[in-house]
Amino acid sequence: MNSFSGKLAVVTGGGSGMGRELVIQLAAQGCSVAACDWHADAVAQTADLARADAPPGVRVSSHACDVSDEAQVLRFRDELLAEHATGHVDLVFSNAGIGGAGSFVKDSRQEWERTFAVDFWGVYYCARAFLPLLIASGDGVLVNTSSVNGFWAALGPGMPNTAYATAKFAVKGFTEALIEDLRSNAPQVRVAVVMPGHVGTDIVGNTFRAHGKDPEQMSQAQLEEMVPADARAKLAEAGLLPERPSAGDLRAMLVRISHDFRDKAPLSAAGAATVILDGVRSGAWRILVGDDAKMLDERIRGQPDAAYDYTDLFGDLIQAAQAAGQAAGVPSPG
């Protein structure tokens, strides 16, 4: 697929982040888009932004859909086919995702399964719903978003990430398994897996809201449950919270974390969308997004047994950071 012009793409999670940027960039390149998100107002805003830069003849539609609910995915499919007056789609970007339930041991089963449902079942349901339409296009591409946590199931010391990583491993495995299946049984369609590192998106804030934990609407007791006493103590030691934080202090910290994840990322959502679209155009089946993703991929492939021995995996980086700190007159920790 050398060009997206004249094609029709489906983008899930189109209300913000990489999904929003995929919609905008696809439309600007002459591709009609049907975008969905669980947040109807956000995806409607995306559609307005995309239409503003789209050439004549490009149609961008927005749809409310929770991809973890197969009935909603099927409704979304039927809506877009009617709105775009078509019997096929050319590209499907299964991009919707949330975090949450980092610990299988401590976090609630409900939150764990909600995260897994959005991040894996959403991809699966979209593949089931849209594969016949991709086959009908004669030149379809299914693009599933995994993560660096699809090949590295942690965030570092003391930061388990089980629900998200389990789902993203499943997305990666499912997508790779489809490569030969499609070659053998539906050669009109190819598949690609996207593995981003840290990209500047609203996933932290969206995760809060998806699990009913919007900091702006939580009580003091709920905020203290979300940030337990041991975590509050460590944050106070680091100067990130007062010793006895108020609800306002906790709320402001959580909002700041969400904004910092988005605004201080090494790669913007727009930059990530460009990498993804370049990869799809080139025919790549495996698209690493960000220098951090490339670094992690190289290290874990090179030292698989050290993947969770952080000192071995990142020892040279730690030494380099310490040397740089010493050269700048910053004392080493400890």
Side-chain angles (χ1 to χ4, degrees), residues 2 39 51 166 179 256:
N2 297 321
H39 193 326
R51 293 183 194 111
T166 301
I179 293 172
R256 185 171 65 250

Side-chain angles (χ1 to χ4, degrees), residues 204-226:
V204 174
N206 287 340
T207 294
F208 290 155
R209 289 184 285 274
H211 293 296
K213 295 180 177 180
D214 186 344
E216 300 288 358
Q217 299 177 9
M218 295 175 74
S219 68
Q220 174 96 22
Q222 289 172 320
L223 288 162
E224 288 179 352
E225 182 180 359
M226 190 171 176

Side-chain angles (χ1 to χ4, degrees), residues 117-274:
V118 172
D119 293 349
F120 177 70
W121 288 115
V123 171
Y124 173 83
Y125 292 147
C126 286
R128 284 288 185 195
F130 291 108
L131 181 58
L133 302 175
L134 289 168
I135 293 172
S137 80
D139 183 25
V141 189
L142 175 62
V143 186
N144 295 331
T145 299
S146 178
S147 166
V148 294
N149 287 129
F151 58 77
W152 188 57
L155 295 173
M159 293 186 288
N161 198 25
T162 64
Y164 184 82
T166 301
K168 293 303 186 178
F169 264 77
V171 170
K172 178 176 179 288
F174 174 57
T175 305
E176 291 195 29
L178 284 174
I179 293 172
E180 188 56 40
D181 193 3
L182 293 173
R183 281 177 182 165
S184 301
N185 298 300
Q188 311 93 323
V189 182
R190 63 183 175 87
V191 68
V193 61
V194 175
M195 290 175 287
H198 182 185
V199 174
T201 72
D202 289 311
I203 190 171
V204 174
N206 287 340
T207 294
F208 290 155
R209 289 184 285 274
H211 293 296
K213 295 180 177 180
D214 186 344
E216 300 288 358
Q217 299 177 9
M218 295 175 74
S219 68
Q220 174 96 22
Q222 289 172 320
L223 288 162
E224 288 179 352
E225 182 180 359
M226 190 171 176
V227 187
D230 57 342
R232 294 197 300 273
K234 290 177 182 177
L235 290 164
E237 286 178 13
L240 299 174
L241 275 178
E243 286 189 15
R244 295 181 180 178
S246 66
D249 295 326
L250 292 168
R251 196 171 285 120
M253 183 200 67
L254 292 170
V255 171
R256 185 171 65 250
I257 289 171
S258 174
H259 290 175
D260 284 352
F261 184 91
R262 180 192 64 207
D263 299 336
K264 297 182 179 181
L267 181 65
S268 69
T274 298

Side-chain angles (χ1 to χ4, degrees), residues 22 27 30 68 88 138 140 148 169 195 199 246 254 292 309 316 318:
L22 284 168
S68 69
H88 74 275
V148 294
F169 264 77
M195 290 175 287
V199 174
S246 66
L254 292 170
D292 54 345
D309 184 336
D316 59 329
I318 294 169

Side-chain angles (χ1 to χ4, degrees), residues 10-35:
V10 172
V11 179
T12 71
S16 64
M18 292 191 303
R20 171 170 286 185
E21 294 298 334
L22 284 168
V23 175
I24 291 170
Q25 292 186 30
L26 283 163
Q29 295 176 43
C31 184
S32 291
V33 187

